[in-house]
């Protein structure tokens, strides 16, 4: 299910068997920025993140970019699998945690 609000798309993934929300993603199709990718713990490793990122790529077919905490190895592995590359680093001023900036571009394929 996809919802659209002011240039930002919210993609919701539900379990076909029990209608539980398995995850969601928000992407600004104007600049390809993914603000949130969330997968519920029971759905980790079941392809939900892959489906969400595939839909994000459909909504923003030229580029995607996001920030991910450097200590989140599982998420970084998913983004690497989807051909994202690390383009920078920073420190979150709210949490003081280090993050990587990762980007995918259609022209880099």
């Amino acid at each position: 299910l996809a919802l659209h609000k002011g240039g930002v798309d919210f993609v919701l993934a539900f379990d076909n068997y029990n209608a539980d929300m398995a995850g969601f993603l928000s992407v600004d199709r104007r600049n390809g920025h993914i603000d949130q990718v969330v997968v519920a713990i029971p759905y980790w490793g079941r392809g939900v993140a892959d489906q969400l990122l595939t839909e994000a790529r459909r909504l923003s077919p030229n580029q995607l970019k996001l920030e991910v905490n450097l200590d989140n190895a599982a998420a970084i592995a998913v983004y690497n699998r989807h051909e994202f590359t690390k383009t920078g680093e920073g420190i979150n001023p709210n949490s003081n945690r280090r993050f990587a900036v990762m980007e995918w571009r259609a022209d880099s394929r």
Side-chain angles (χ1 to χ4, degrees):
L1 174 65
L3 306 169
H4 183 74
K5 175 102 172 136
V8 177
D9 287 275
F10 299 88
V11 180
L12 311 175
F14 293 93
D15 186 313
N16 287 331
Y17 297 105
N18 61 20
D20 286 347
M21 187 171 2
F24 73 91
L25 171 144
S26 65
V27 60
D28 188 330
R29 68 170 71 193
R30 296 168 295 189
N31 60 17
H33 186 257
I34 295 175
D35 185 55
Q36 296 285 318
V37 179
V38 177
V39 176
I41 292 171
Y43 297 94
W44 287 4
R46 295 176 54 185
V48 174
D50 295 327
Q51 293 173 359
L52 291 169
L53 290 169
T54 297
E55 182 63 10
R57 194 173 282 176
R58 187 188 70 75
L59 293 168
S60 182
N62 296 318
Q63 72 173 4
L64 294 170
K65 60 185 174 181
L66 54 85
E67 297 82 32
V68 59
N69 289 331
L70 282 169
D71 61 2
N72 192 344
I76 291 170
V78 170
Y79 302 136
N80 285 333
R81 192 169 60 245
H82 282 268
E83 302 175 335
F84 281 74
T85 57
K86 181 178 166 185
T87 59
E89 287 190 19
I91 297 178
N92 184 317
N94 297 318
S95 67
N96 212 30
R97 294 172 73 182
R98 292 178 60 223
F99 66 85
V101 178
M102 299 190 75
E103 295 186 40
W104 167 83
R105 292 183 178 275
D107 59 6
S108 65
R109 298 174 103 190

